[in-house]
């Protein structure tokens, strides 16, 4: 049994920020794997590009820790581990010609999870009056939304 230690909205916010850092670290690992698994140069390039953006997102999260005087640390993120596991399991079952489609679909699922995570952080950040943190989180959210759109249009393109 996990001991109940989150008692205030601020404590919950800090915990969710630490979970978000694990989420982005998991994304770095997942994008490496998806870039390797993808067949076409275009899809590989898309994952590599997003890998660079994810490093910027990690940097923004670290700045958010600083802005609230919280030591940089991580908290468990079983959801993102599960998304990566599902990607690996579907890739294993798929013929090589399906790999771009599988990789794009899995990345799209991950993006939508990240979008929800940032939305869930931005609302309390605003309520707590943390305008600097809100701006950093919004920058990450904007990138995730843009990436999800890129993944969706690339998926459309490869299946056309
Ligand atoms: Fe991300």
């Amino acid at each position: 049994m996990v001991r109940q230690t989150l008692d205030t909205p601020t404590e919950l916010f800090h915990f969710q920020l630490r979970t978000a850092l694990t989420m982005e670290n998991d994304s770095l690992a997942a994008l490496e794997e998806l870039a390797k698994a993808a067949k076409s140069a275009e899809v590989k390039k898309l994952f590599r590009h997003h890998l660079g953006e994810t490093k910027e997102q990690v940097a923004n999260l670290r700045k958010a820790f600083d802005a609230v005087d919280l030591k940089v640390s991580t908290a468990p993120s079983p959801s993102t581990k599960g998304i990566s596991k599902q990607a690996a399991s579907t890739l294993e079952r798929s013929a090589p010609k399906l790999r771009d489609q599988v990789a794009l679909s899995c990345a799209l699922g991950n993006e939508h999870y990240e979008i929800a995570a940032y939305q869930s952080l931005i609302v309390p950040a605003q309520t707590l009056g943390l305008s600097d943190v809100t701006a950093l989180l919004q920058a990450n959210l904007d990138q995730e939304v843009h990436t999800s759109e890129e993944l969706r249009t690339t998926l459309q393109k490869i299946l056309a």
Side-chain angles (χ1 to χ4, degrees):
M1 225 353 222
V2 176
R3 197 160 52 92
Q4 194 178 323
T5 52
L6 304 173
D7 194 41
T8 66
T10 298
E11 285 170 357
L12 177 60
F13 179 76
H14 289 173
F15 181 76
Q16 288 176 319
L17 202 56
R18 294 172 60 220
T19 302
L21 185 56
T22 307
M23 170 186 85
E24 291 298 356
N25 285 334
D26 287 348
S27 263
L28 288 174
L31 285 163
E32 292 273 10
E33 288 306 310
L34 293 176
K36 267 189 242 161
K39 293 266 294 167
S40 76
E42 186 190 359
V43 176
K44 278 183 189 290
K45 198 173 145 204
L46 181 63
F47 289 134
R48 298 246 153 81
H49 171 70
H50 188 47
L51 199 56
E53 283 186 340
T54 302
K55 287 179 185 159
E56 291 170 24
Q57 293 168 6
V58 169
N60 279 348
L61 283 176
R62 288 176 165 267
K63 284 184 203 159
F65 278 83
D66 285 346
V68 294
D69 271 329
L70 181 68
K71 191 172 141 291
V72 175
S73 63
T74 55
S77 176
S79 307
T80 43
K81 302 276 186 302
I83 291 170
S84 295
K85 258 191 203 170
Q86 188 173 345
S89 145
T90 310
L91 279 166
E92 242 176 55
R93 288 158 203 264
S94 303
K97 64 183 179 204
L98 294 174
R99 269 191 219 146
D100 283 345
Q101 185 182 348
V102 174
L104 289 167
S105 308
C106 293
L108 196 53
N110 194 53
E111 282 311 312
H112 280 264
Y113 179 79
E114 292 190 324
I115 288 168
Y118 284 117
Q119 286 174 338
S120 306
L121 279 166
I122 287 168
V123 175
Q126 286 169 328
T127 312
L128 294 165
L130 306 169
S131 52
D132 293 357
V133 175
T134 301
L136 290 162
L137 296 169
Q138 186 65 48
N140 283 9
L141 175 60
D142 291 347
Q143 267 187 345
E144 308 295 10
V145 170
H146 179 75
T147 301
S148 73
E149 201 41 42
E150 255 177 2
L151 290 166
R152 195 181 64 80
T153 51
T154 308
L155 187 58
Q156 264 175 339
K157 204 168 133 188
I158 67 159
L159 293 178

